[in-house]
Amino acid sequence: MSLARRQFLQTAAAGVAVAAAPRWAFAAEKVVPFRISLAEWSLHKAIRGGDLTDLDFPRVTKEEFGIDAVEYVSQLWGDKQAGSEYVAKVKQQCDDHGVRSVLIMVDAEGALGDADGAKRSQAIDNHKKWLEAARELGCHAIRVNAQSSGSYAEQLALAADGLGRLGEIADQYGLNVLVENHGGLSSNGEWLAGVMRRVGRPNVGTLPDFGNFCISGRGTPDAVWYDRYQGMEDLMPFAKAVSAKSYEFNDAGEEVQTDFPRVMKTVLNHGYSGYVGIEWEGGNPCEYEGIKLTKALLERIRDSVV
């Protein structure tokens, strides 16, 4: 059979297959500017109060909120930590409910910018189990903190050292290491951007949080804040995840403390198209309603730019 004849028959067969297949098989997935995930911290009161377990988190995320991507919080896993057997149970819950694992927010494993070199190395080592858990769950990153001490310049150098070394290890797992603005100098957008430039690794980036720009004294008259809108501009060039922190809504469904449309314009203007994680931290309404209000607001913003 000639080459031309063979190509003709292959093309004809492909056409028959297309005609026979159901129309939905070729429906293009809707292109959206960003996707929505849910941070486990949004339900920390329910989990710590015993109304939910962290194993319920994937199911509740899908069934209650219609969200199919989750972000875990290490401190809510308690003494179970990142053991392989427990991670397998979490993964099975995700598989059973069609939920994707995005990242793990890791806390209380030591200061990655500790001025004591031995303690800094220990903190790096402490994060390895979370890298293993993240890889097993199919996450793309772990979120860490950049605690340090000393002067502005000293903390920048120390944090960059710890983060860079952890980034080298994370490379072996195919994972990213992301730093959140989470108090202290990490809530100074200029400082944290400087840390990122000092590290200079493609797998070490930021997780900008809309609300965590209090450098010190939160809840006091002497609180020191970094401008959140400038902070988002500072951190978005390095962002590989975004946290949509919400505290309070008005009757129009707008978040009171942060201009969400303004912040999301910054996010999208920097070319970000990944997951935006809902992190409700308000006291009224309840966690479930706060999550729903935040999701509805993000969807309105998303739909307005599609």
Side-chain angles (χ1 to χ4, degrees):
M1 182 184 299
S2 69
L3 177 60
R5 176 64 174 169
R6 188 160 56 248
Q7 290 176 334
F8 170 79
L9 291 175
Q10 289 172 344
T11 301
V16 171
V18 168
R23 183 173 298 175
W24 55 260
F26 300 97
E29 184 178 358
K30 183 179 180 180
V31 177
V32 294
F34 63 89
R35 299 189 181 280
I36 297 173
S37 53
L38 179 63
E40 191 173 16
W41 189 252
S42 299
L43 292 166
H44 72 276
K45 293 177 184 177
I47 293 172
R48 286 177 168 171
D51 296 324
L52 294 175
T53 71
D54 42 356
L55 281 175
D56 294 322
F57 177 49
R59 174 186 59 78
V60 170
T61 297
K62 186 67 172 289
E63 294 181 354
E64 293 288 338
F65 310 114
I67 297 172
D68 61 3
V70 294
E71 303 174 8
Y72 307 101
V73 175
S74 69
Q75 58 182 297
L76 294 179
W77 288 25
D79 57 6
K80 297 176 286 295
Q81 291 295 314
S84 59
E85 291 186 7
Y86 190 74
V87 170
K89 291 180 180 179
V90 175
K91 187 175 186 301
Q92 187 62 57
Q93 287 296 310
C94 289
D95 292 344
D96 289 347
H97 298 284
V99 172
R100 178 179 180 179
S101 298
V102 177
L103 56 86
I104 304 175
M105 298 183 178
V106 181
D107 300 294
E109 294 293 358
L112 290 168
D114 202 300
D116 184 313
K119 291 181 179 179
R120 192 162 68 252
S121 294
Q122 184 60 57
I124 293 168
D125 192 61
N126 290 347
H127 283 78
K128 290 180 181 178
K129 61 179 174 290
W130 294 108
L131 289 170
E132 293 172 1
R135 179 174 63 180
E136 179 64 23
L137 289 168
C139 299
H140 78 89
I142 61 170
R143 187 279 280 146
V144 303
N145 297 293
Q147 301 104 320
S148 189
S149 60
S151 69
Y152 185 104
E154 288 169 340
Q155 291 192 54
L156 192 154
L158 290 166
D161 175 73
L163 291 165
R165 289 161 60 191
L166 182 59
E168 289 181 19
I169 296 169
D171 242 351
Q172 301 169 23
Y173 293 85
L175 293 170
N176 298 303
V177 172
L178 309 183
V179 186
E180 181 180 355
N181 46 307
H182 212 196
L185 276 176
S186 76
S187 290
N188 180 317
E190 183 179 14
W191 180 87
L192 188 51
V195 172
M196 292 297 104
R197 287 190 289 268
R198 181 76 168 261
V199 173
R201 292 189 60 86
N203 74 319
V204 177
T206 59
L207 190 161
D209 182 295
F210 294 4
N212 283 356
F213 285 101
C214 183
I215 297 172
S216 63
R218 185 164 194 155
T220 72
D222 299 323
V224 177
W225 285 83
Y226 193 84
D227 183 86
R228 70 188 64 204
Y229 304 108
Q230 181 59 51
M232 292 300 297
E233 289 283 0
D234 294 336
L235 300 181
M236 280 309 303
F238 311 97
K240 297 181 185 295
V242 171
S243 184
K245 177 68 62 61
S246 54
Y247 297 95
E248 182 182 0
F249 284 86
N250 59 24
D251 292 340
E254 300 293 336
E255 215 284 331
V256 172
Q257 297 192 25
T258 302
D259 184 338
F260 264 50
R262 178 179 175 182
V263 172
M264 285 306 302
K265 182 178 180 180
T266 297
V267 169
L268 298 176
N269 282 348
H270 280 275
Y272 183 81
S273 59
Y275 282 96
V276 174
I278 294 171
E279 192 170 43
W280 166 253
E281 206 168 81
N284 185 35
C286 69
E287 290 180 321
Y288 279 59
E289 291 306 312
I291 292 168
K292 291 175 182 177
L293 284 167
T294 310
K295 182 191 178 195
L297 176 54
L298 286 173
E299 288 176 333
R300 289 201 302 274
I301 294 170
R302 184 187 65 189
D303 293 346
S304 72
V305 297
V306 171

